[in-house]
Amino acid sequence: MYYENGKIFIEDDDQCVNCQNYLEGVACPLLNALGQKAVYLEDSLTVTNCGFFRKFKRCLRIVRDNENNNAD
């Protein structure tokens, strides 16, 4: 994570990439604090153990063609 030209950038190594708060657009307390200038990010930071982290779990279901044909 780093700050440049008034924007906060998340890098691939940051835990934020797999966080439900970040991926679903939910207000992340850490990013809100940085955005509101309650805390400052002077250099780059790798977020590895965030207390607000919630693992994003994707649940997919395979839909077969015969299920679509039964709907007719």
Side-chain angles (χ1 to χ4, degrees):
M1 174 183 300
Y2 63 96
Y3 182 83
E4 186 177 292
N5 296 330
K7 295 181 182 177
I8 301 163
F9 293 91
I10 305 297
E11 298 186 275
D12 289 341
D13 293 339
D14 290 323
Q15 193 177 34
C16 308
V17 173
N18 295 320
C19 182
Q20 186 174 350
N21 293 327
Y22 178 68
L23 292 173
E24 292 187 352
V26 178
C28 168
L30 175 59
L31 295 177
N32 278 341
L34 289 166
Q36 294 174 1
K37 298 182 181 175
V39 295
Y40 293 95
L41 185 61
E42 295 180 2
D43 200 4
S44 65
L45 165 76
T46 303
V47 181
T48 57
N49 192 17
C50 179
F52 305 112
F53 178 77
R54 292 186 342 178
K55 178 78 174 168
F56 179 73
K57 245 175 143 175
R58 186 177 302 263
C59 300
L60 301 175
R61 183 173 68 94
I62 297 174
V63 178
R64 304 202 187 283
D65 271 348
N66 61 356
E67 289 182 17
N68 291 335
N69 292 337
N70 291 339
D72 294 335

